[in-house]
Amino acid sequence: EKSAYVSDTVTLFDKLSILAGLRYTSYKSKSWNWLSQALTSDYRTDGFTPTFALLFKPDPGTTIYASYIQALAEGTIVGDVYANKGEILPALTSKQYEIGAKWQRTDWDATVALFRLDRGANLITADNRLVQDGVERYQGLEVARRYRVNPAWSFGLSGVYVDGTHQKAANSWLIGRPLHGTAKF
Protein backbone atom coordinates (compact mmCIF):
# COMPACT_ATOMS: atom_id res chain seq x y z
CA GLU A 1 0.00 0.00 0.00
CA LYS A 2 1.26 3.43 -0.92
CA SER A 3 -0.57 6.63 -0.18
CA ALA A 4 -0.12 10.37 -0.22
CA TYR A 5 -2.23 12.91 1.59
CA VAL A 6 -2.58 16.65 1.31
CA SER A 7 -4.78 18.87 3.45
CA ASP A 8 -5.19 22.45 4.51
CA THR A 9 -7.07 24.22 7.27
CA VAL A 10 -8.63 27.56 6.37
CA THR A 11 -9.77 29.91 9.12
CA LEU A 12 -13.05 31.56 8.14
CA PHE A 13 -13.66 33.58 11.26
CA ASP A 14 -11.90 33.98 14.59
CA LYS A 15 -13.20 30.66 15.98
CA LEU A 16 -14.39 28.81 12.86
CA SER A 17 -12.28 26.89 10.35
CA ILE A 18 -12.59 24.28 7.62
CA LEU A 19 -10.21 21.40 7.02
CA ALA A 20 -10.18 19.89 3.53
CA GLY A 21 -7.98 17.12 2.27
CA LEU A 22 -7.47 14.57 -0.45
CA ARG A 23 -5.76 11.16 -0.15
CA TYR A 24 -4.43 9.07 -3.01
CA THR A 25 -4.17 5.36 -2.18
CA SER A 26 -2.62 2.64 -4.31
CA TYR A 27 -2.89 -1.06 -3.44
CA LYS A 28 -0.80 -3.70 -5.15
CA SER A 29 -0.97 -7.35 -4.13
CA LYS A 30 0.44 -10.54 -5.65
CA SER A 31 -0.16 -14.09 -4.43
CA TRP A 32 1.59 -17.31 -5.38
CA ASN A 33 0.83 -20.98 -4.91
CA TRP A 34 3.71 -22.09 -2.71
CA LEU A 35 3.81 -25.62 -4.18
CA SER A 36 3.81 -24.77 -7.88
CA GLN A 37 5.27 -21.27 -7.48
CA ALA A 38 2.56 -20.10 -9.91
CA LEU A 39 1.18 -16.58 -9.66
CA THR A 40 -2.42 -16.98 -8.45
CA SER A 41 -3.46 -13.33 -8.25
CA ASP A 42 -2.09 -9.99 -9.33
CA TYR A 43 -4.21 -7.17 -7.96
CA ARG A 44 -3.87 -3.43 -8.23
CA THR A 45 -6.31 -0.66 -7.48
CA ASP A 46 -6.01 3.00 -6.69
CA GLY A 47 -8.14 6.05 -6.13
CA PHE A 48 -8.67 9.41 -4.48
CA THR A 49 -10.76 9.96 -1.35
CA PRO A 50 -11.77 13.25 0.33
CA THR A 51 -11.71 14.53 3.92
CA PHE A 52 -13.73 17.49 5.20
CA ALA A 53 -14.21 18.92 8.68
CA LEU A 54 -15.84 22.00 10.14
CA LEU A 55 -14.14 23.09 13.39
CA PHE A 56 -15.43 25.53 16.00
CA LYS A 57 -13.13 26.63 18.87
CA PRO A 58 -15.11 28.53 21.52
CA ASP A 59 -11.88 28.73 23.58
CA PRO A 60 -8.25 27.63 22.95
CA GLY A 61 -8.70 24.26 24.71
CA THR A 62 -12.08 23.27 23.24
CA THR A 63 -12.93 22.09 19.73
CA ILE A 64 -16.39 21.16 18.48
CA TYR A 65 -16.35 19.50 15.08
CA ALA A 66 -18.25 17.74 12.31
CA SER A 67 -16.36 15.65 9.79
CA TYR A 68 -16.78 13.50 6.68
CA ILE A 69 -14.06 11.09 5.57
CA GLN A 70 -13.86 8.54 2.77
CA ALA A 71 -11.28 5.76 2.63
CA LEU A 72 -10.36 3.22 -0.01
CA ALA A 73 -10.02 -0.38 1.20
CA GLU A 74 -8.23 -3.13 -0.68
CA GLY A 75 -10.48 -5.67 -2.36
CA THR A 76 -10.67 -9.15 -0.85
CA ILE A 77 -8.87 -12.07 -2.48
CA VAL A 78 -11.38 -14.91 -2.15
CA GLY A 79 -10.05 -17.84 -0.11
CA ASP A 80 -9.80 -21.49 -1.11
CA VAL A 81 -12.92 -22.56 0.82
CA TYR A 82 -15.25 -20.72 -1.59
CA ALA A 83 -16.47 -21.74 -5.06
CA ASN A 84 -14.96 -18.58 -6.56
CA LYS A 85 -11.52 -19.09 -4.94
CA GLY A 86 -8.80 -16.78 -6.16
CA GLU A 87 -11.25 -14.17 -7.47
CA ILE A 88 -10.37 -10.63 -6.49
CA LEU A 89 -13.30 -8.54 -5.32
CA PRO A 90 -13.27 -4.82 -6.20
CA ALA A 91 -11.90 -2.20 -3.84
CA LEU A 92 -14.39 -0.73 -1.40
CA THR A 93 -14.89 2.88 -0.37
CA SER A 94 -15.98 3.53 3.19
CA LYS A 95 -17.68 6.70 4.36
CA GLN A 96 -17.48 8.03 7.92
CA TYR A 97 -19.51 10.85 9.45
CA GLU A 98 -18.66 12.16 12.91
CA ILE A 99 -19.65 14.97 15.24
CA GLY A 100 -17.89 15.53 18.51
CA ALA A 101 -16.07 17.68 21.00
CA LYS A 102 -12.55 17.68 22.43
CA TRP A 103 -11.34 19.41 25.57
CA GLN A 104 -7.67 19.84 26.47
CA ARG A 105 -6.70 21.37 29.79
CA THR A 106 -3.49 21.49 31.81
CA ASP A 107 -4.08 18.29 33.79
CA TRP A 108 -6.87 16.54 31.85
CA ASP A 109 -8.41 16.06 28.44
CA ALA A 110 -11.60 14.46 27.18
CA THR A 111 -13.39 13.59 23.95
CA VAL A 112 -16.92 12.61 23.02
CA ALA A 113 -18.05 11.71 19.52
CA LEU A 114 -21.05 10.30 17.67
CA PHE A 115 -20.08 8.41 14.53
CA ARG A 116 -21.45 6.46 11.59
CA LEU A 117 -19.29 4.35 9.29
CA ASP A 118 -20.69 2.73 6.14
CA ARG A 119 -18.62 0.22 4.19
CA GLY A 120 -19.22 -2.51 1.65
CA ALA A 121 -20.11 -5.97 2.91
CA ASN A 122 -18.73 -9.36 1.90
CA LEU A 123 -21.33 -12.15 2.06
CA ILE A 124 -21.45 -15.87 1.33
CA THR A 125 -24.11 -16.94 -1.19
CA ALA A 126 -26.15 -20.17 -1.15
CA ASP A 127 -23.80 -21.65 -3.77
CA ASN A 128 -20.76 -20.92 -1.50
CA ARG A 129 -19.43 -17.88 -3.33
CA LEU A 130 -17.91 -14.90 -1.48
CA VAL A 131 -19.37 -11.74 -3.01
CA GLN A 132 -19.77 -8.07 -2.21
CA ASP A 133 -23.36 -7.27 -1.39
CA GLY A 134 -24.83 -4.39 0.54
CA VAL A 135 -23.44 -2.10 3.19
CA GLU A 136 -22.29 -2.67 6.76
CA ARG A 137 -23.17 0.24 9.03
CA TYR A 138 -21.41 0.88 12.32
CA GLN A 139 -22.77 3.73 14.39
CA GLY A 140 -22.28 4.68 17.96
CA LEU A 141 -20.77 6.80 20.68
CA GLU A 142 -17.15 7.08 21.78
CA VAL A 143 -16.01 8.75 25.01
CA ALA A 144 -12.55 9.13 26.52
CA ARG A 145 -11.04 10.89 29.52
CA ARG A 146 -7.42 11.21 30.58
CA TYR A 147 -5.92 12.69 33.73
CA ARG A 148 -2.24 13.68 33.90
CA VAL A 149 -0.69 13.00 37.31
CA ASN A 150 2.57 14.65 36.20
CA PRO A 151 4.31 15.19 32.84
CA ALA A 152 5.47 11.55 32.73
CA TRP A 153 2.32 9.78 33.99
CA SER A 154 -1.31 9.85 32.99
CA PHE A 155 -4.34 7.62 33.48
CA GLY A 156 -7.08 7.22 30.94
CA LEU A 157 -10.41 5.55 30.45
CA SER A 158 -12.30 5.20 27.19
CA GLY A 159 -15.28 3.34 25.87
CA VAL A 160 -17.25 2.81 22.68
CA TYR A 161 -20.84 1.76 22.09
CA VAL A 162 -21.36 0.33 18.57
CA ASP A 163 -24.56 -0.65 16.81
CA GLY A 164 -23.58 -2.64 13.72
CA THR A 165 -26.25 -3.60 11.17
CA HIS A 166 -26.59 -4.65 7.54
CA GLN A 167 -27.93 -1.98 5.19
CA LYS A 168 -28.92 -1.95 1.50
CA ALA A 169 -28.38 -5.69 0.97
CA ALA A 170 -29.76 -7.48 -2.11
CA ASN A 171 -30.97 -10.15 0.32
CA SER A 172 -33.68 -8.08 2.02
CA TRP A 173 -33.83 -10.43 5.02
CA LEU A 174 -30.36 -9.12 6.04
CA ILE A 175 -31.36 -5.45 6.24
CA GLY A 176 -31.33 -4.28 9.84
CA ARG A 177 -29.81 -7.49 11.19
CA PRO A 178 -26.75 -7.26 13.48
CA LEU A 179 -23.27 -7.64 12.01
CA HIS A 180 -21.52 -10.88 12.93
CA GLY A 181 -18.60 -10.40 15.32
CA THR A 182 -19.41 -6.80 16.28
CA ALA A 183 -19.41 -6.20 20.03
CA LYS A 184 -21.85 -3.63 21.41
CA PHE A 185 -19.28 -2.27 23.90
Coordinates of all heavy atoms in Angstrom, one line a residue, residues 74-105:
E74 N -8.6 -2.1 0.3 CA -8.2 -3.1 -0.7 C -9.3 -4.2 -0.9 O -10.0 -4.6 0.1 CB -7.0 -3.8 -0.2 CG -6.4 -4.8 -1.1 CD -5.1 -5.4 -0.5 OE1 -4.7 -5.1 0.6 OE2 -4.5 -6.2 -1.3
G75 N -9.5 -4.6 -2.1 CA -10.5 -5.7 -2.4 C -10.0 -7.0 -1.8 O -8.8 -7.3 -1.7
T76 N -11.0 -7.8 -1.4 CA -10.7 -9.1 -0.9 C -10.3 -10.2 -1.9 O -10.9 -10.2 -3.0 CB -11.9 -9.7 -0.1 OG1 -12.3 -8.7 0.9 CG2 -11.7 -11.0 0.5
I77 N -9.2 -10.9 -1.6 CA -8.9 -12.1 -2.5 C -9.6 -13.3 -1.9 O -9.4 -13.6 -0.7 CB -7.4 -12.3 -2.5 CG1 -6.6 -11.1 -3.1 CG2 -7.0 -13.6 -3.3 CD1 -5.1 -11.1 -3.0
V78 N -10.5 -13.8 -2.6 CA -11.4 -14.9 -2.1 C -10.6 -16.2 -1.8 O -9.7 -16.6 -2.6 CB -12.5 -15.2 -3.2 CG1 -13.4 -16.4 -2.7 CG2 -13.3 -14.0 -3.5
G79 N -10.8 -16.7 -0.6 CA -10.0 -17.8 -0.1 C -10.4 -19.2 -0.8 O -11.4 -19.3 -1.5
D80 N -9.6 -20.2 -0.5 CA -9.8 -21.5 -1.1 C -11.1 -22.2 -0.7 O -11.4 -23.2 -1.4 CB -8.6 -22.4 -0.8 CG -7.3 -21.9 -1.4 OD1 -7.4 -21.1 -2.4 OD2 -6.2 -22.3 -1.0
V81 N -11.7 -21.8 0.4 CA -12.9 -22.6 0.8 C -14.2 -22.2 0.0 O -15.2 -22.8 0.2 CB -13.2 -22.3 2.3 CG1 -12.0 -22.9 3.1 CG2 -13.4 -20.9 2.7
Y82 N -14.1 -21.2 -0.8 CA -15.3 -20.7 -1.6 C -15.2 -21.2 -3.0 O -14.1 -21.4 -3.6 CB -15.4 -19.2 -1.5 CG -15.4 -18.7 -0.1 CD1 -14.4 -18.1 0.5 CD2 -16.6 -18.8 0.6 CE1 -14.4 -17.6 1.8 CE2 -16.7 -18.4 1.9 CZ -15.6 -17.8 2.5 OH -15.7 -17.3 3.8
A83 N -16.4 -21.3 -3.7 CA -16.5 -21.7 -5.1 C -15.7 -20.8 -6.0 O -15.2 -21.3 -7.1 CB -17.9 -21.9 -5.5
N84 N -15.6 -19.5 -5.7 CA -15.0 -18.6 -6.6 C -13.5 -18.3 -6.1 O -13.1 -17.1 -6.2 CB -15.8 -17.3 -6.7 CG -16.1 -16.6 -5.4 OD1 -16.2 -17.3 -4.4 ND2 -16.3 -15.3 -5.5
K85 N -12.9 -19.3 -5.5 CA -11.5 -19.1 -4.9 C -10.6 -18.4 -5.9 O -10.6 -18.6 -7.1 CB -10.9 -20.4 -4.5 CG -10.6 -21.4 -5.6 CD -10.0 -22.7 -5.0 CE -9.8 -23.6 -6.2 NZ -9.3 -24.9 -5.7
G86 N -9.8 -17.5 -5.4 CA -8.8 -16.8 -6.2 C -9.3 -15.5 -6.8 O -8.6 -14.7 -7.3
E87 N -10.7 -15.4 -6.9 CA -11.2 -14.2 -7.5 C -10.9 -13.0 -6.6 O -10.8 -13.1 -5.4 CB -12.8 -14.3 -7.5 CG -13.5 -13.2 -8.2 CD -15.0 -13.4 -8.3 OE1 -15.4 -14.6 -8.4 OE2 -15.7 -12.4 -8.2
I88 N -10.7 -11.8 -7.2 CA -10.4 -10.6 -6.5 C -11.6 -9.7 -6.6 O -12.0 -9.3 -7.6 CB -9.1 -9.9 -7.1 CG1 -7.9 -10.9 -7.0 CG2 -8.8 -8.7 -6.3 CD1 -6.7 -10.4 -7.8
L89 N -12.1 -9.4 -5.4 CA -13.3 -8.5 -5.3 C -12.8 -7.1 -5.4 O -11.7 -6.7 -5.0 CB -14.1 -8.8 -4.0 CG -14.5 -10.2 -3.8 CD1 -15.3 -10.3 -2.4 CD2 -15.4 -10.7 -4.9
P90 N -13.7 -6.2 -6.0 CA -13.3 -4.8 -6.2 C -13.0 -4.1 -4.9 O -13.4 -4.5 -3.8 CB -14.5 -4.2 -6.9 CG -15.3 -5.3 -7.4 CD -15.0 -6.5 -6.5
A91 N -12.2 -3.0 -5.0 CA -11.9 -2.2 -3.8 C -13.2 -1.6 -3.3 O -14.1 -1.4 -4.1 CB -10.9 -1.1 -4.2
L92 N -13.2 -1.3 -2.0 CA -14.4 -0.7 -1.4 C -14.1 0.7 -0.9 O -13.0 0.9 -0.4 CB -14.8 -1.6 -0.2 CG -15.3 -3.0 -0.6 CD1 -15.4 -3.8 0.7 CD2 -16.6 -3.0 -1.3
T93 N -15.0 1.6 -1.0 CA -14.9 2.9 -0.4 C -15.8 2.9 0.9 O -16.9 2.6 0.8 CB -15.3 4.0 -1.4 OG1 -14.5 3.9 -2.5 CG2 -15.1 5.4 -0.8
S94 N -15.2 3.3 2.0 CA -16.0 3.5 3.2 C -16.2 5.0 3.4 O -15.5 5.8 2.9 CB -15.3 2.9 4.4 OG -14.1 3.6 4.6
K95 N -17.3 5.3 4.1 CA -17.7 6.7 4.4 C -17.9 6.8 5.9 O -18.7 6.1 6.4 CB -18.9 7.1 3.6 CG -18.8 7.0 2.1 CD -20.1 7.3 1.4 CE -19.8 7.1 -0.1 NZ -21.0 7.4 -0.9
Q96 N -17.3 7.8 6.5 CA -17.5 8.0 7.9 C -17.9 9.5 8.2 O -17.3 10.4 7.7 CB -16.2 7.8 8.7 CG -16.4 8.0 10.2 CD -15.1 7.6 11.0 OE1 -14.4 6.8 10.6 NE2 -15.0 8.3 12.1
Y97 N -19.0 9.6 9.0 CA -19.5 10.8 9.4 C -19.3 10.9 11.0 O -19.5 9.9 11.7 CB -21.0 10.9 9.1 CG -21.4 10.6 7.7 CD1 -21.6 9.3 7.3 CD2 -21.5 11.7 6.8 CE1 -21.9 9.0 6.0 CE2 -21.8 11.4 5.5 CZ -22.0 10.1 5.1 OH -22.4 9.8 3.8
E98 N -18.9 12.1 11.5 CA -18.7 12.2 12.9 C -18.9 13.6 13.4 O -18.6 14.5 12.7 CB -17.2 11.8 13.2 CG -16.9 11.7 14.7 CD -15.5 11.1 14.9 OE1 -15.1 10.1 14.3 OE2 -14.8 11.7 15.7
I99 N -19.5 13.7 14.6 CA -19.7 15.0 15.2 C -19.1 14.7 16.7 O -19.3 13.7 17.2 CB -21.1 15.5 15.3 CG1 -22.1 14.6 15.9 CG2 -21.5 15.9 13.9 CD1 -23.4 15.2 16.1
G100 N -18.5 15.7 17.2 CA -17.9 15.5 18.5 C -17.3 16.8 19.1 O -17.4 17.9 18.5
A101 N -16.7 16.6 20.3 CA -16.1 17.7 21.0 C -14.8 17.1 21.7 O -14.8 16.0 22.1 CB -17.0 18.3 22.0
K102 N -13.8 18.0 21.8 CA -12.6 17.7 22.4 C -12.2 18.8 23.4 O -12.3 20.0 23.0 CB -11.4 17.5 21.4 CG -11.7 16.4 20.5 CD -10.5 16.2 19.5 CE -10.8 15.0 18.6 NZ -9.6 14.7 17.7
W103 N -11.8 18.4 24.6 CA -11.3 19.4 25.6 C -9.9 19.1 26.0 O -9.6 17.9 26.3 CB -12.2 19.4 26.8 CG -13.6 19.7 26.5 CD1 -14.2 21.0 26.6 CD2 -14.7 18.8 26.2 NE1 -15.5 20.9 26.3 CE2 -15.9 19.6 26.0 CE3 -14.8 17.5 25.9 CZ2 -17.1 19.0 25.6 CZ3 -16.0 16.9 25.6 CH2 -17.1 17.7 25.4
Q104 N -9.0 20.1 26.0 CA -7.7 19.8 26.5 C -7.3 20.9 27.5 O -7.3 22.1 27.2 CB -6.7 19.9 25.3 CG -5.3 19.4 25.7 CD -4.5 19.2 24.4 OE1 -4.7 19.7 23.4 NE2 -3.5 18.4 24.6
R105 N -7.1 20.5 28.7 CA -6.7 21.4 29.8 C -5.3 21.0 30.3 O -4.7 20.0 29.9 CB -7.7 21.3 30.9 CG -9.2 21.6 30.5 CD -9.3 23.1 29.9 NE -10.7 23.4 29.7 CZ -11.2 23.5 28.5 NH1 -10.5 23.3 27.4 NH2 -12.5 23.9 28.4

